[in-house]
Each structure stands twice: as C-alpha cells, then as structure tokens.
Amino acid sequence: RFISKLNEINIDEGYENIFDLVNKSKLAVFSYNATGYLETLTANIPTIIYFNLKQNPIRPNSMIFFEKLKKAKIFFDDISSASMHINQIWRNIDSWWKNDLTQEARIQFCQNFAMDNEDKITSIKKIIDEIKR
C-alpha cells in the first residue's frame, strides 16, 4: 500500500539494520509502542513517537513521562498533530531536537525507561545476586 501511494520514498522490508537506516534519516518515526524508540531516544536521534493510548495503554505510573514527551512534541497520541509537527520542523529538525525542553524530556524519559548501560554484565550479575538472597 505504501509503495503504490508513496513511490518516491524508500521502504525497507526488514532486511537492513535498523541503526543503518536511522543513520541515513533526518528523523525516526515510530507508530507503535516498542523498543525502537527507546533505542533512538537513548542514542539522542531525533524521534517522533505516535500511538493511540486506547489501543496501546501504558502503565499509569509512566504517564507522567509520556506527558513530558508530549509537551516536548516527541510523543503524540493524535496522528494529525504528529503530522503537523513533522511538517513544521522538517527544514530544521535540530532547532526542535536540541531545544532544552526537548532534551530535558528525552533525558528524563531515558533515565526511567531506557538507560544506556555500558557495563551490562556487572548489572545483570548484581540483579541475580540480589534475587539469590
């Protein structure tokens, strides 16, 4: 359906590495609640997240962080608003992405849901040791 309607865009059918694709792009857009946007947010790659909260509910205690992403125009639960925002920032994505409000929301979200841990083995060992007690 995308190819027939939007023949001027390139669509990968899942064969290329996601980070190779993202690195070739100006903006990563995610339309579902999954780990992809956690990875791009952690890597500080300009990211838009859209999903319907009625179809993809999130835990109530995480809603405060999604509200911060919403204020920073990273997360949208309305496709029209997401589309309008992308059109507004398209010529200068960095002015939005590097904005203090945007970066603060991204960092706070990542600290709670997507921390980049350089020493994963030690962290896993610590968790296992705590479970064994």
Side-chain angles (χ1 to χ4, degrees):
R1 184 181 296 172
F2 283 114
I3 293 170
S4 68
K5 299 282 184 189
L6 304 167
N7 59 3
E8 71 276 1
I9 65 170
N10 294 322
I11 297 176
D12 177 72
E13 295 180 12
Y15 299 111
E16 196 167 342
N17 177 290
I18 187 70
F19 276 103
D20 291 342
L21 291 171
V22 169
N23 287 328
K24 294 178 188 175
S25 305
K26 288 173 68 166
L27 179 68
V29 179
F30 295 90
S31 60
Y32 53 91
N33 190 4
T35 58
Y37 67 82
L38 298 174
E39 294 172 333
T40 57
L41 289 175
T42 300
N44 201 13
I45 294 168
T47 302
I48 296 288
I49 307 160
Y50 160 76
F51 58 85
N52 184 319
L53 290 170
K54 292 177 184 167
Q55 295 172 341
N56 298 280
I58 58 174
R59 293 185 313 229
N61 62 340
S62 61
M63 194 60 193
I64 189 171
F65 298 101
F66 277 90
E67 285 298 328
K68 288 179 182 185
L69 291 181
K70 197 172 186 177
K71 286 181 185 172
K73 297 186 178 181
I74 296 172
F75 171 70
F76 296 84
D77 56 6
D78 173 69
I79 193 65
S80 296
S81 297
S83 177
M84 287 185 345
H85 177 64
I86 291 169
N87 285 326
Q88 288 173 348
I89 65 167
W90 189 250
R91 290 205 167 126
N92 191 357
I93 290 174
D94 282 348
S95 68
W96 156 72
W97 189 250
K98 293 180 179 179
N99 177 285
D100 289 344
L101 174 70
T102 306
Q103 285 298 305
E104 184 178 319
R106 180 194 70 79
I107 290 166
Q108 287 181 1
F109 188 86
C110 289
Q111 286 173 337
N112 285 275
F113 302 105
M115 288 198 49
D116 189 19
N117 186 343
E118 294 293 326
D119 194 8
K120 292 172 183 67
I121 300 298
T122 301
S123 295
I124 291 169
K125 182 183 182 315
K126 183 178 176 184
I127 291 167
I128 291 169
D129 289 343
E130 288 175 8
I131 292 171
K132 289 187 333 187
R133 290 185 198 162

